Amino acid sequence: MYLSVTGLAKQFGDLQVLKDINFSIEKGQVISIIGPSGSGKTTLLRCLNALEIPDNGIFQFEDGFTLDFTKKQKKQDLLRLRRKSGMVFQSYNLFPHKTAIENVMEGPLIVQKRDRKEVLNLAKSLLKKVGLEDKINLYPYQLSGGQQQRVGIARALAMEPELMLFDEPTSALDPELVGEVLKVIKDLAKDNWTMVIVTHEIQFAYQVSDKVVFMDGGYIVEQGTPDEVIKNPQVDRTKQFLHRILNPA
Amino acid sequence: MYPLNNVLFTITGQTEGWELFINSLVPMLTGTIKATIPLAIISFIIGLIIALLTAMMRISKSPFLTIPATFYVSAIRGTPLLVQLFIIFYGMPTLDITFDPYPAAIIAFSLNVGAYASEIIRGSILSIPKGQWEAAATIGMTKTMALRRIILPQATRVSVPPLSNTFISLVKDTSLASQILVVELFRKSQEIAAVTYDFLLLYVEAALIYWVICFILSMIQSRLEKRLERYTAR
């Protein structure tokens, strides 16, 4: 088991966004988190790299690293947690003052302080992997949404994280650009990356995932294989949600 | 058409108006180059450093940092620059702290710029979307790294127009240093006027020199803005 999460809880003011979340991630596993807006799925993802600090819960990694959020955390531990994962944002969040390749190089060069030549080659190969080898010197504003998001993926991969987190990576895209981003994520799944994906693309979640988690109201309502959760849901709330999302009209 | 000399004659009542204009140009430009410009540049640089620190203090969550910073900005912005200059130059000696005119002026102007520019810098840092901090964090950056590599370069672009205004104001405000015996452009014109009584000619001449400097600065500003905007869509 790569990571086990137990008793995760998070509150914003009076609003309890996550209530006693328990789940685990295996190495090389692709997990999709689905559910209605406001169900807590994005918050769950953001807790995994401490963009939100959980109020409660324990993270246990297979390498023995443990974070107990019932106690006060050291800054050092939060940084260590964060450096285990890479994140892809709904709104890309590329650095607008840097070109595509500079965006990808920034982490390895500045944070990991690796050799510039080596990093340049790494960045080139990653941008090639996401199909942007001819766009490396363009600034974000010169790229389409789909291209920006693929740079965002390459930027996260460049840190060679153990875990990749995707926060609704296609929600801000024009429908015709969704495919190119999903294809890149599928390729990563084939390469055995460990990934957690928050998504509204049920069809995609079904195809790419090893495990699907359905959340509602701050709880995990149902989790299991795509066939179990998407094709054959057991809980009424899951059935309702899937019915509505698969038959929108 | 009247020749310029006649116009100057009507203004100054002197036939040698034009000559005086030319002759006083040398000492006034000397004052500009020796005092006005270095005073403005040095104070602006020190002021920017103070401003960045103050901005960071005000953004922080610790009251031990925010309260002194807020107090400083309020005190400087709430009192006239001329009074600040007088307190430092004429007032401090009472406490046995004595400054020469030039250092006294630099202290006063730096503190002044520091307060005004800190608000500009604070505003431009806060104007950068939160997602930029988060993206920096997810590639493992500490807050300091994120500030230096990601946030400040973008905030710089936002703050160039208002900071240029601050600098242009500062260039003109250095004329107040004449009141604490710094021999800069305006004091030179006062000194010459005291002898020749050509107040209008000499003060208009001083005004023209300030205007030319500020005009050049505005041109530099728009070039700088263009350069910094190269990565934004228009």
Side-chain angles (χ1 to χ4, degrees):
Chain A
M1 188 176 319
Y2 169 68
L3 165 66
S4 99
V5 174
T6 38
L8 176 63
K10 175 71 187 174
Q11 197 164 349
F12 292 120
D14 288 337
L15 187 67
Q16 189 78 41
V17 185
L18 296 177
K19 308 161 186 166
D20 193 27
I21 299 285
N22 299 285
F23 77 108
S24 61
I25 308 171
E26 304 291 334
K27 192 140 232 166
Q29 202 174 37
V30 179
I31 300 183
S32 293
I33 306 178
I34 59 172
S37 304
S39 59
K41 38 189 204 312
T42 290
T43 307
L44 169 55
L45 194 75
R46 290 165 61 87
C47 281
L48 292 178
N49 66 356
L51 280 185
E52 306 293 350
I53 310 291
D55 302 325
N56 231 318
I58 298 173
F59 292 175
Q60 260 178 306
F61 287 88
E62 66 174 355
D63 61 7
F65 177 53
T66 303
L67 261 175
D68 181 350
F69 288 99
T70 54
K71 299 176 195 140
K72 194 160 165 40
Q73 306 78 44
K74 293 185 216 115
K75 258 192 184 163
Q76 228 36 45
D77 283 344
L78 290 179
L79 202 61
R80 182 168 169 196
L81 171 67
R82 202 166 274 157
R83 287 179 179 170
K84 280 180 170 294
S85 60
M87 182 146 179
V88 175
F89 295 87
Q90 180 178 350
S91 49
Y92 337 129
N93 291 349
L94 293 186
F95 306 132
H97 57 305
K98 294 183 181 296
T99 60
I101 195 155
E102 286 169 348
N103 264 276
V104 179
M105 290 172 69
E106 186 71 8
L109 205 59
I110 302 303
V111 178
Q112 296 175 335
K113 300 193 166 43
R114 290 166 59 181
D115 172 66
R116 175 173 278 275
K117 243 191 199 146
E118 190 189 310
V119 172
L120 189 70
N121 288 332
L122 171 73
K124 275 186 186 157
S125 72
L126 285 171
L127 284 171
K128 189 168 177 203
K129 189 183 177 71
V130 299
L132 293 173
E133 63 267 51
D134 53 342
K135 309 273 186 215
I136 61 175
N137 289 320
L138 296 186
Y139 284 96
Y141 80 88
Q142 296 168 307
L143 300 171
S144 73
Q147 291 166 341
Q148 288 192 50
Q149 192 57 296
R150 285 184 279 152
V151 176
I153 295 172
R155 177 177 69 181
L157 292 174
M159 297 300 287
E160 292 165 352
E162 297 167 8
L163 175 65
M164 282 286 285
L165 306 172
F166 294 83
D167 183 13
E168 304 192 20
T170 58
S171 294
L173 294 176
D174 288 341
E176 58 176 338
L177 302 178
V178 168
E180 62 189 64
V181 172
L182 294 184
K183 184 184 167 298
V184 169
I185 302 176
K186 276 183 189 164
D187 287 346
L188 296 180
K190 268 182 225 145
D191 294 348
N192 269 327
W193 282 85
T194 312
M195 304 195 276
V196 179
I197 308 167
V198 170
T199 185
H200 289 297
E201 306 279 341
I202 303 297
Q203 207 48 48
F204 167 72
Y206 179 76
Q207 291 167 8
V208 79
S209 314
D210 300 302
K211 177 159 131 183
V212 175
V213 172
F214 173 69
M215 284 184 73
D216 189 36
Y219 289 105
I220 292 181
V221 177
E222 208 168 335
Q223 55 179 316
T225 64
D227 278 321
E228 286 167 353
V229 177
I230 294 174
K231 289 281 130 124
N232 203 5
Q234 298 302 305
V235 186
D236 282 347
R237 186 65 191 93
T238 321
K239 290 178 192 166
Q240 228 177 40
F241 171 78
L242 287 169
H243 180 77
R244 208 172 298 154
I245 212 164
L246 296 172
N247 308 282
Chain B
M1 282 294 284
Y2 296 106
L4 182 62
N5 230 1
N6 287 9
V7 177
L8 287 169
F9 175 77
T10 36
I11 291 175
T12 64
Q14 278 192 7
T15 33
E16 61 273 25
W18 180 241
E19 213 172 299
L20 179 63
F21 186 92
I22 299 292
N23 288 343
S24 55
L25 204 54
V26 175
M28 278 160 78
L29 286 179
T30 313
T32 306
I33 290 162
K34 277 197 173 163
T36 301
I37 289 175
L39 206 55
I41 291 176
I42 295 170
S43 307
F44 192 66
I45 291 170
I46 300 175
L48 280 186
I49 296 168
I50 298 174
L52 184 59
L53 291 174
T54 310
M56 293 320 297
M57 284 168 76
R58 290 199 71 177
I59 290 172
S60 92
K61 288 183 185 99
S62 155
F64 294 103
L65 296 173
T66 52
I67 290 172
T70 310
F71 177 80
Y72 157 66
V73 172
S74 170
I76 297 287
R77 294 210 304 180
T79 54
L81 178 51
L82 186 59
V83 175
Q84 295 163 15
L85 276 164
F86 271 45
I87 289 175
I88 290 170
F89 185 69
Y90 296 114
M92 296 309 265
T94 312
L95 303 174
D96 274 332
I97 305 170
T98 310
F99 297 105
D100 285 335
Y102 204 87
I106 287 189
I107 293 171
F109 291 136
S110 302
L111 288 174
N112 199 268
V113 168
Y116 282 94
S118 78
E119 288 295 275
I120 294 170
I121 292 177
R122 187 173 75 106
S124 47
I125 289 176
L126 294 178
S127 78
I128 305 303
K130 204 172 139 232
Q132 291 291 309
W133 286 99
E134 291 184 348
T138 58
I139 57 168
M141 286 192 172
T142 60
K143 279 227 156 140
T144 325
M145 277 184 200
L147 184 73
R148 196 169 51 83
R149 300 280 313 175
I150 307 302
I151 304 300
L152 282 184
Q154 296 180 60
T156 306
R157 204 192 97 235
V158 184
S159 61
V160 161
L163 283 181
S164 307
N165 284 342
T166 306
F167 186 58
I168 288 172
S169 293
L170 174 64
V171 169
K172 293 177 293 177
D173 285 345
T174 56
S175 60
L176 292 171
S178 63
Q179 299 307 304
I180 61 164
L181 316 179
V182 176
V183 187
E184 41 66 74
L185 161 58
F186 187 53
R187 191 166 182 87
K188 281 276 189 208
S189 71
Q190 285 178 311
E191 283 175 1
I192 303 168
V195 181
T196 62
Y197 295 104
D198 282 302
F199 297 108
L200 181 61
L201 172 79
L202 288 158
Y203 293 161
V204 168
E205 186 176 353
L208 282 176
I209 297 177
Y210 282 114
W211 193 357
V212 169
I213 298 173
C214 292
F215 182 75
I216 295 170
L217 287 175
S218 321
M219 292 201 313
I220 296 175
Q221 173 189 350
S222 51
R223 284 197 144 190
L224 197 60
E225 277 171 36
K226 279 215 184 82
R227 230 183 85 81
L228 287 164
E229 261 168 27
R230 67 188 184 281
Y231 54 79
T232 8
R234 256 148 302 171

